Amino acid sequence: MKRLMIAVLALAISTLSFSQGSIVGKVIDAESGEAIISATVRLDNSTKGALTDLSGNFEIKNVTAGEHTVKVSYVSFDDITEKVMVKDGAAADIGTLKMESSSIGLKEIQVVASVAVDRKTPVAVSTISAKQIEERLGNQEFPELLKSTPSIYTTKQGGGFGDARINIRGFSQENFALLINGISVSGMEDNRVYWSNWAGLGDVTRTMQVQRGLGASRLAITSVGGTINIITKTTDQRKGGSVWSSIGNDGYKKTGMTLSTGRTDNGWAFTFTGSRTTGDGYIEGAYIDAWSYFGSVAKELGKDQQLIFTVFGAPQRHGQRDFQHNIGDQRDVYGIRWNDDYGKFQGEDFLIRENFYHKPQANLNHIWQMNEGTTLVTAVYGSVGRGGGTGDLGGFVREDGAYRGREFRQPRDVYGHHQYDQWYLYNSGQANSLYDTSMVALNYETAEGETGTAQIAANGQNGLIKRASMNQHNWYGVLSTLTTELSETLTLSGGLDVRFYTGSHYRKTVNLMGAEYWFDDDNINNQFDWVDLDGDGIQEEGEWGNLVQPTNDAERLWGNVDRDERIDYNNDENINWYGLFGQLEYSKDQLSAFVSGAFNNTQMRRIDFFSEPDSDNTTDWLSFTGGNLKLGANYNLNENHNVFLNGGYISRAPYFDALFPTFDNDAANEDAVNEKITSVELGYGYRGRNFSMNLNGYWTQWEDKTDVSTYEDPVTEDILFLNLLGVNALHSGLELDFTFLPVRNVTVTGFASLNNWEWTNNPSGVISDENNEVIGEQEYFIDGLKVGDAAQTTFGLNASVNLTRDLSVDAQCFYFDNLYASYSPDDRDDVEEAGIQVLQLPDYGLVDAGLTWTFQFAGLDAKARVNVNNVFDTQYIAEATDRIRTDESYDELLDNT
């Protein structure tokens, strides 16, 4: 019997070994030809499967002989099903499978957006896929996803929802470009990006590329540090939908859904995505109240044309805090979550600082395949932004008669919070614990002849209120790109980029905190109300202005107000942008190269409704011409190795804010000149089956930077304006990123960047007072000082393990060093302090982790994801403002920073 059993077992093993084989193949993107990494390949009605490797290859082992159906799936691509016959003991090669995008018009939009192609486009680039965004974003800010790429530094600033900022190669947000579907959405006034305006992007982003350095965009954009290139979903070709829900720390909740009709028989397709986000916030009082929406409609216009209309937006309101707290107070006194702008008012949570904004953008894309080699893509778009931020305005009068202005921040209660109920008592003329005094009722007379006595708050006189600084804009543009194949090796593209922008800035009252009126005397065109500020009963100069009350509910922030009810300041700016661009590309065999150029003319003017008479409130147009010239080449040495080189020159017109440094019409910055940027980059890439890497070095010289700032004279306490011209800097560094598949089901990725960013001269600046009078010229000693606000050395490592077909875990480690505090040039005006390096902050490391589980629920595909950010609860200093104090120890200096 024993021998019989051994014989049967041997026969079974022999039969099994000869009745099994394997299936091999490769998966690529049908549009770009690039390998698709980590696509899921499975046998229908089976648990067997595999993931594609770094070259897009896959192998499914131990497959029984016979006919099988292979299904390939990947986020944002249509599934592929192929039949394959497996023979005993053989490998069945299914060949190269080409996955088509599930989005209509995506190929053409990617061309317009200048999406970089691996081993072809000669730029340093990192790509974040929709899968990574879906799994790792969680309740983080959208730009924080980029911290896993070289030379990128992100922080949460004050910790409010959407208040994150990002630096690329040491350049702040006004020095890189944000493109959404190829359209520039960086601010027209200063090129800055406010991420709270784009809080819903994570729900609709198909892919996000950060192109460090000059980038691949053809437009005349200010890609000094780099370009963040976001491609959103377009209209889905297939019918379906999804729902999701997330919860997180401090009451974070997010729920959303996507619905798509797919392509109908008559050529229409509709897609909608919407979400709702709420939460208490990690910082005291930093609540979250946000929505987001995305809608897209596509229509085929015959065989060669189609229209795609897209609209998206993210109306939100969130709590903030003052971005500058002494580290010693936060670390040792009130705690890391302390918010000195938070407190109780009439029994409810109350914040003096809030942000609220809605910036919807609508695009109409027309795609015209003119012939086999020529395509014209035109986008007409518009954005209407409404919202602003709140804060305090005014001050108190002490018992000794001294005005306390912004010193209202003292005293607080025992928790470090403002005593808002005491503000109310003071403003309403009642006894309070802040001061022995309270607001005195004042006599007034309105323009209509009404007289009376009321509690009237007035800036520089008496009373403290909550105001809103409103920033609104209307922005319209056209971006049209023609691409034609001149031959099998040459492609020519070019087009126009035209934008028209009007921005409006003013303040309004939100909550008078117990007062009955706010008295504003800043509008010279509306000074018809009289308030007896000194109580002598005489109508005299300085007592004429405008009595204002909130036109909305006390805590209602949205909505416009009439010009007569605006306070403090009220001005518009008009900015017109006219751009032309062109690019010639060569591609044959192993070599691809390009040369591109762009030209733009920027026209700017300012309109002041308060400090200038209505008959003469508009400046002349100021016109600046800028542009860029870029060229580069990539050479594939073989199927594994490639090298690339690029270089370029940018001439950038000064931003609007640099042209009017004193914030009025009287002192246009006639000395402002274009900034000049020269950059060179060299890179190497390796692509293997289980290992890939990119290594590059860069050198960027920045000349004639304009720096306009406002500061308070430490002696006189007067407000001064600094117009600093001719600032130079040098940014250089080495960057590395890699992907490694050591064993099956394990993926390791990592990055490193070693940078050196320094100012290279001692510029001189002109100092003016509030009356636009030049009071002096000052040299500032910054030569050799490190550029602050971003870590110059970064490392990161990520490991992902597929425990089973449906369960995976991952962890990311980050390390940041050579991080220097930010500082203002006006702090560096003493020659005896020349050469004292900026305060270097302590290095720190962070660990994030996650788990993903895919499963079937009621016959539908489902996924659960858990993220834990900062696993070890590390406390660290992400950013700081420098103080020059050589007589203190390092720890004391930190506590006072």
Side-chain angles (χ1 to χ4, degrees):
M1 180 61 69
K2 181 177 180 181
R3 292 175 181 174
L4 178 60
M5 291 178 64
I6 292 174
V8 171
L9 181 59
L11 179 62
I13 293 174
S14 175
T15 303
L16 182 62
S17 65
F18 283 102
S19 63
Q20 289 185 340
S22 63
I23 301 173
V24 297
K26 184 174 184 177
V27 181
I28 65 172
D29 184 334
E31 295 168 0
S32 67
E34 291 189 59
I36 296 180
I37 303 171
S38 297
T40 301
V41 186
R42 291 181 179 171
L43 300 185
D44 273 0
N45 302 318
S46 170
T47 60
K48 290 187 178 297
L51 296 175
T52 55
D53 63 19
L54 301 181
S55 302
N57 297 310
F58 68 88
E59 180 182 11
I60 305 176
K61 299 179 179 180
N62 300 324
V63 180
T64 58
E67 187 178 69
H68 294 273
T69 300
V70 174
K71 181 178 180 180
V72 184
S73 59
Y74 193 72
V75 176
S76 300
F77 285 86
D78 286 331
D79 293 345
I80 297 177
T81 56
E82 290 283 339
K83 292 188 179 298
V84 60
M85 179 63 69
V86 177
K87 296 181 179 179
D88 292 350
D93 190 347
I94 202 170
T96 299
L97 303 178
K98 298 180 179 181
M99 299 195 76
E100 299 282 353
S101 167
S102 60
S103 300
I104 298 173
L106 181 65
K107 176 182 178 181
E108 292 79 8
I109 290 174
Q110 286 181 323
V111 171
V112 172
S114 303
V115 173
V117 178
D118 188 41
R119 288 170 54 86
K120 181 178 180 182
T121 309
V123 297
V125 61
S126 299
T127 301
I128 308 295
S129 68
K131 183 175 184 291
Q132 290 173 291
I133 296 171
E134 178 184 275
E135 292 183 351
R136 296 183 184 175
L137 181 59
N139 59 357
Q140 295 185 98
E141 301 293 346
F142 191 62
E144 289 186 90
L145 290 170
L146 294 174
K147 69 182 180 183
S148 60
T149 58
S151 297
I152 303 290
Y153 189 70
T154 65
T155 83
K156 298 178 182 294
Q157 290 200 104
F161 175 76
D163 290 338
R165 68 168 179 87
I166 182 172
N167 285 59
I168 302 178
R169 287 184 174 174
F171 295 102
S172 55
Q173 296 189 147
E174 59 266 34
N175 297 308
F176 64 79
L178 174 64
L179 304 181
I180 299 180
N181 297 329
I183 296 172
S184 175
V185 297
S186 298
M188 288 285 285
E189 299 170 28
D190 54 15
N191 206 59
R192 292 182 179 177
V193 177
Y194 298 93
W195 291 100
S196 58
N197 300 341
W198 309 104
L201 271 179
D203 301 336
V204 299
T205 296
R206 187 182 189 276
T207 184
M208 175 169 58
Q209 275 193 348
V210 54
Q211 300 174 2
R212 300 183 297 278
L214 297 175
S217 175
R218 304 170 178 85
L219 305 181
I221 54 178
T222 54
S223 302
V224 181
T227 303
I228 297 178
N229 203 348
I230 295 174
I231 305 298
T232 68
K233 299 175 183 176
T234 59
T235 316
D236 285 343
Q237 295 193 91
R238 55 186 178 186
K239 183 178 181 180
S242 62
V243 296
W244 66 90
S245 183
S246 305
I247 59 173
N249 55 283
D250 301 291
Y252 178 91
K253 296 179 182 178
K254 182 173 183 177
T255 303
M257 63 175 293
T258 293
L259 294 173
S260 179
T261 65
R263 193 190 299 264
T264 63
D265 294 338
N266 56 5
W268 286 92
F270 302 86
T271 297
F272 171 80
T273 296
S275 70
R276 170 76 168 131
T277 306
T278 60
D280 300 325
Y282 179 77
I283 304 302
E284 286 183 316
Y287 68 89
I288 306 167
D289 183 5
W291 300 81
S292 73
Y293 57 88
F294 169 89
S296 184
V297 181
K299 178 67 172 74
E300 295 177 342
L301 303 176
K303 181 180 178 182
D304 301 321
Q305 298 184 59
Q306 54 185 322
L307 284 175
I308 303 175
F309 174 76
T310 301
V311 60
F312 56 92
Q316 59 81 31
R317 176 178 174 180
H318 71 274
Q320 295 183 306
R321 68 171 171 181
D322 191 311
F323 290 166
Q324 294 185 353
H325 289 157
N326 275 356
I327 293 173
D329 287 343
Q330 278 199 255
R331 186 165 55 187
D332 303 325
V333 182
Y334 298 121
I336 207 74
R337 298 190 180 197
W338 169 51
N339 185 352
D340 72 342
D341 293 306
Y342 167 77
K344 293 289 185 179
F345 179 48
Q346 298 180 342
E348 301 291 335
D349 290 340
F350 188 84
L351 271 173
I352 203 71
R353 285 182 58 88
E354 298 177 272
N355 177 273
F356 54 102
Y357 216 83
H358 183 201
K359 185 179 180 177
Q361 179 169 308
N363 308 329
L364 179 61
N365 288 277
H366 176 246
I367 301 172
W368 181 13
Q369 187 71 44
M370 303 176 71
N371 56 50
E372 184 176 348
T374 304
T375 304
L376 177 65
V377 180
T378 302
V380 180
Y381 62 92
S383 173
V384 179
R386 296 293 183 267
T390 69
D392 59 272
L393 188 61
F396 298 119
V397 175
R398 288 191 318 211
E399 59 273 16
D400 60 3
Y403 180 68
R404 282 188 64 94
R406 292 192 59 82
E407 293 183 43
F408 77 89
R409 297 186 180 280
Q410 307 291 336
R412 304 182 183 95
D413 63 19
V414 295
Y415 302 105
H417 300 148
H418 288 311
Q419 302 180 66
Y420 292 115
D421 285 330
Q422 300 303 315
W423 288 21
Y424 182 89
L425 293 175
Y426 181 97
N427 281 2
S428 59
Q430 303 178 59
N432 63 89
S433 63
L434 287 179
Y435 303 104
D436 293 338
T437 62
S438 60
M439 186 188 294
V440 177
L442 301 175
N443 294 321
Y444 69 89
E445 180 179 343
T446 68
E448 293 77 21
E450 176 188 343
T451 61
T453 301
Q455 301 297 131
I456 301 174
N459 193 19
Q461 297 291 332
N462 201 10
L464 189 72
I465 69 167
K466 182 176 181 178
R467 53 79 186 160
S469 298
M470 306 296 291
N471 298 290
Q472 304 182 165
H473 72 247
N474 297 326
W475 181 351
Y476 309 100
V478 177
L479 177 62
S480 186
T481 303
L482 178 70
T483 303
T484 183
E485 296 177 1
L486 301 178
S487 66
E488 292 183 357
T489 59
L490 289 176
T491 300
L492 178 65
S493 61
L496 58 88
D497 173 20
V498 179
R499 314 173 204 170
F500 302 99
Y501 175 91
T502 297
S504 298
H505 308 283
Y506 63 90
R507 278 181 173 171
K508 68 177 183 179
T509 58
V510 175
N511 193 324
L512 297 184
M513 305 295 290
E516 298 175 73
Y517 290 99
W518 172 263
F519 177 70
D520 181 78
D521 62 354
D522 293 293
N523 184 1
I524 67 170
N525 298 300
N526 185 11
Q527 296 193 348
F528 307 111
D529 298 330
W530 171 69
V531 175
D532 190 7
L533 295 175
D534 58 12
D536 63 1
I538 301 174
Q539 296 181 352
E540 46 198 353
E541 186 178 355
E543 295 183 339
W544 292 94
N546 183 26
L547 282 171
V548 179
Q549 287 181 312
T551 55
N552 302 317
D553 297 337
E555 278 305 297
R556 183 182 174 191
L557 303 178
W558 301 92
N560 294 332
V561 296
D562 184 82
R563 180 172 298 171
D564 289 343
E565 295 163 339
R566 302 182 181 194
I567 65 170
D568 216 16
Y569 58 83
N570 182 21
N571 55 77
D572 288 359
E573 60 260 358
N574 301 136
I575 303 176
N576 299 333
W577 171 290
Y578 306 94
L580 296 173
F581 57 89
Q583 179 168 293
L584 182 65
E585 299 175 71
Y586 173 84
S587 181
K588 183 178 181 181
D589 300 328
Q590 289 82 24
L591 178 65
S592 58
F594 79 94
V595 58
S596 69
F599 163 87
N600 70 279
N601 178 259
T602 308
Q603 299 175 347
M604 294 171 276
R605 69 179 183 181
R606 189 177 190 275
I607 307 170
D608 198 315
F609 300 103
F610 269 25
S611 61
E612 302 291 340
D614 288 338
S615 59
D616 187 26
N617 63 5
T618 305
T619 69
D620 294 332
W621 287 100
L622 300 176
S623 181
F624 292 85
T625 299
N628 63 52
L629 177 65
K630 300 187 292 186
L631 66 162
N634 177 85
Y635 186 74
N636 295 327
L637 301 172
N638 54 37
E639 64 180 8
N640 300 118
H641 304 273
N642 71 287
V643 292
F644 73 83
L645 174 69
N646 71 57
Y649 176 81
I650 298 175
S651 176
R652 184 175 79 177
Y655 293 136
F656 182 91
D657 290 348
L659 299 180
F660 299 94
T662 55
F663 306 105
D664 57 31
N665 290 3
D666 297 334
N669 190 355
E670 298 179 356
D671 296 326
V673 297
N674 280 19
E675 299 176 5
K676 293 92 175 174
I677 299 97
T678 305
S679 186
V680 178
E681 189 168 31
L682 176 66
Y684 161 77
Y686 173 80
R687 300 293 179 270
R689 183 179 181 89
N690 295 316
F691 180 78
S692 68
M693 64 166 286
N694 300 291
L695 175 66
N696 65 274
Y698 70 92
W699 179 92
T700 302
Q701 175 70 52
W702 186 2
E703 297 179 308
D704 289 331
K705 181 181 185 297
T706 300
D707 192 338
V708 177
S709 59
T710 304
Y711 66 100
E712 184 179 283
D713 188 297
V715 177
T716 65
E717 297 185 355
D718 293 335
I719 300 299
L720 302 178
F721 301 91
L722 172 62
N723 181 18
L724 190 60
L725 302 174
V727 184
N728 300 336
L730 179 63
H731 293 233
S732 60
L734 293 173
E735 300 167 337
L736 168 72
D737 64 84
F738 67 88
T739 301
F740 178 43
L741 307 180
V743 295
R744 186 183 180 188
N745 296 327
V746 176
T747 302
V748 178
T749 62
F751 71 92
S753 58
L754 303 174
N755 302 289
N756 184 44
W757 311 321
E758 291 184 351
W759 302 108
T760 59
N761 70 328
N762 291 325
S764 294
V766 175
I767 302 172
S768 304
D769 61 18
E770 290 185 282
N771 297 317
N772 303 321
E773 296 291 335
V774 175
I775 62 175
E777 185 171 330
Q778 177 67 52
E779 183 179 7
Y780 294 92
F781 303 94
I782 61 174
D783 188 13
L785 298 188
K786 298 292 186 179
V787 174
D789 248 7
Q792 303 199 20
T793 299
T794 64
F795 294 95
L797 192 66
N798 168 75
S800 178
V801 181
N802 295 311
L803 301 176
T804 69
R805 187 187 69 173
D806 301 319
L807 184 65
S808 65
V809 294
D810 55 82
Q812 302 89 45
C813 305
F814 306 96
Y815 175 75
F816 305 96
D817 195 7
N818 288 324
L819 169 61
Y820 296 87
S822 63
Y823 52 96
S824 292
D826 54 88
D827 291 333
R828 299 287 176 162
D829 58 358
D830 189 343
V831 66
E832 294 182 0
E833 295 173 345
I836 297 178
Q837 191 54 263
V838 183
L839 177 67
Q840 183 175 352
L841 304 178
D843 61 333
Y844 66 93
L846 300 174
V847 176
D848 298 340
L851 180 147
T852 303
W853 176 38
T854 58
F855 56 97
Q856 289 283 310
F857 179 77
L860 301 174
D861 292 333
K863 177 185 287 187
R865 171 73 181 181
V866 176
N867 286 310
V868 180
N869 299 319
N870 195 2
V871 171
F872 299 108
D873 198 23
T874 301
Q875 291 191 8
Y876 56 96
I877 303 171
E879 58 183 64
T881 301
D882 182 54
R883 304 265 181 96
I884 302 177
R885 297 185 180 183
T886 57
D887 59 338
E888 293 177 304
S889 70
Y890 183 76
D891 288 339
E892 289 173 326
L893 193 60
L894 275 180
D895 282 343
N896 290 295
T897 295

